[in-house]
């Protein structure tokens, strides 16, 4: 039994080191697929509006969405171009819902299958690497690995850049939670804050992770640093919220020419 476990571990280590030759090979076709385009990265904050998603749909925009975004589906014909989740606790409780999402591609870390026994259908796997210390990495080749740092929005930005997208607009990224933790690990409670666009989003919140907004801020700063150095524009089109790392733009103004 120990021999089999050791053999499986060695096989996984080999596949991880050469990920683009195995499971990651399917990601190679995504390189530069949207060269010069713009996209919308959609957070699940309380500012998110179904009518804004419908507008994105009507204008044929590329979009990334995450986790339990499916709670808004009854209110809009919009569906994400790309879906991403890397939260094993959330995925473990939402397998059927994620399997039923209609998106061009659904990106899920291979680690969900390898280490957590979460088996999803119709997904494209990627290898996620977490570095807890030092400078926050930014992967330029998601077929090899994706750098993880506290927010799935950062993962989506890496995918968007890999696909050749040059303008990225964030909506629904309020960056403000009822319960969060700071970089000292202290719990911060804001009774005035609402976490998500619907109260039914996290009914199992006691079993989920508490967001670390200090670390997320550093992650967004790393994304801006990379974008500024490579001629990529990231704008915050969220209606309100507390994310001030990126230049703000008015969501409605992005469609006036249409």
């Amino acid at each position: 039994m120990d021999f089999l476990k050791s053999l499986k571990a060695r096989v996984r280590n080999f596949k991880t080191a050469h990920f683009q030759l195995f499971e990651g090979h399917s990601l190679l076709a995504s390189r530069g697929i949207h060269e010069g385009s713009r996209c919308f990265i959609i957070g699940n904050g309380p500012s998110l509006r179904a009518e804004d998603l419908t507008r994105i749909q009507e204008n044929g925009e590329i979009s990334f969405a995450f986790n339990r975004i499916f709670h808004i589906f009854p209110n809009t014909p919009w569906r994400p171009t790309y879906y991403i989740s890397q939260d094993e606790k959330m995925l473990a409780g939402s397998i059927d819902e994620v399997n039923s999402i209609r998106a061009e591609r659904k990106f899920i870390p291979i680690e969900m299958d390898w280490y957590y026994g979460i088996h999803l259908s119709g997904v494209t796997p990627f290898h996620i690497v977490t570095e807890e210390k030092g400078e926050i990495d930014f992967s330029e080749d998601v077929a090899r690995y994706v750098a993880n740092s506290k927010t799935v929005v950062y993962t989506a930005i890496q995918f968007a850049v890999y696909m050749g997208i040059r303008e990225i607009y964030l909506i629904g990224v309020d960056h403000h939670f009822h319960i969060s933790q700071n970089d000292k690990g202290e719990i911060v409670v804001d009774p005035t804050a609402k976490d998500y666009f619907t109260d039914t989003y996290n009914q199992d919140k006691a079993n989920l992770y508490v967001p670390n907004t200090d670390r997320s801020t550093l992650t967004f700063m790393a994304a801006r640093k990379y974008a500024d150095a490579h001629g990529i524009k990231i704008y915050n089109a969220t209606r309100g919220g507390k994310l001030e790392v990126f230049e703000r733009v008015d969501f409605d103004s992005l469609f006036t020419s249409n």
Side-chain angles (χ1 to χ4, degrees), residues 38-51:
R38 74 177 188 176
C39 78
F40 288 80
I41 292 179
I42 297 156
N44 294 324
S47 67
L48 186 64
R49 300 181 182 179
E51 54 266 34

Side-chain angles (χ1 to χ4, degrees), residues 90-249:
M90 173 257 141
L91 284 170
S94 307
I95 291 174
D96 290 341
E97 292 86 347
V98 173
N99 281 341
S100 67
I101 291 174
R102 291 185 292 105
E104 288 188 19
R105 298 187 85 173
K106 293 182 280 189
F107 300 113
I108 305 291
I110 192 66
E111 287 77 10
M112 297 298 119
D113 185 357
W114 284 355
Y115 302 115
Y116 299 101
I118 300 171
H119 308 298
L120 297 161
S121 61
V123 303
T124 300
F126 64 93
H127 169 44
I128 194 163
V129 175
T130 302
E131 296 290 346
E132 294 295 343
K133 298 179 180 180
E135 187 173 351
I136 298 171
D137 188 20
F138 189 100
S139 174
E140 296 181 322
D141 187 356
V142 301
R144 290 181 55 244
Y145 75 99
V146 172
N148 177 35
S149 188
K150 297 300 181 185
T151 170
V152 69
V153 173
Y154 193 63
T155 296
I157 292 171
Q158 291 170 82
F159 268 96
V161 170
Y162 182 76
M163 292 175 176
I165 290 169
R166 310 300 291 179
E167 284 186 24
I168 298 170
Y169 295 90
L170 309 182
I171 68 169
V173 184
D174 291 68
H175 195 52
H176 187 206
F177 298 91
H178 175 63
I179 298 177
S180 62
Q181 60 178 315
N182 59 28
D183 226 14
K184 297 178 182 178
E186 299 168 334
I187 297 299
V188 179
V189 178
D190 183 347
T192 67
K194 182 179 176 182
D195 288 338
Y196 298 102
F197 59 82
T198 174
D199 291 336
T200 62
Y201 184 94
N202 268 0
Q203 291 180 327
D204 57 345
K205 59 185 176 182
N207 299 320
L208 303 178
Y209 293 110
V210 176
N212 186 322
T213 50
D214 283 352
R215 180 65 177 179
S216 295
T217 298
L218 294 176
T219 299
F220 289 128
M221 291 172 65
R224 174 159 188 176
K225 179 180 178 181
Y226 181 89
D228 288 348
H230 293 82
I232 298 161
K233 301 296 184 182
I234 303 177
Y235 300 99
N236 184 7
T238 297
R239 297 184 185 276
K242 293 195 173 184
L243 179 60
E244 304 301 339
V245 173
F246 307 106
E247 178 184 345
R248 283 189 176 267
V249 296

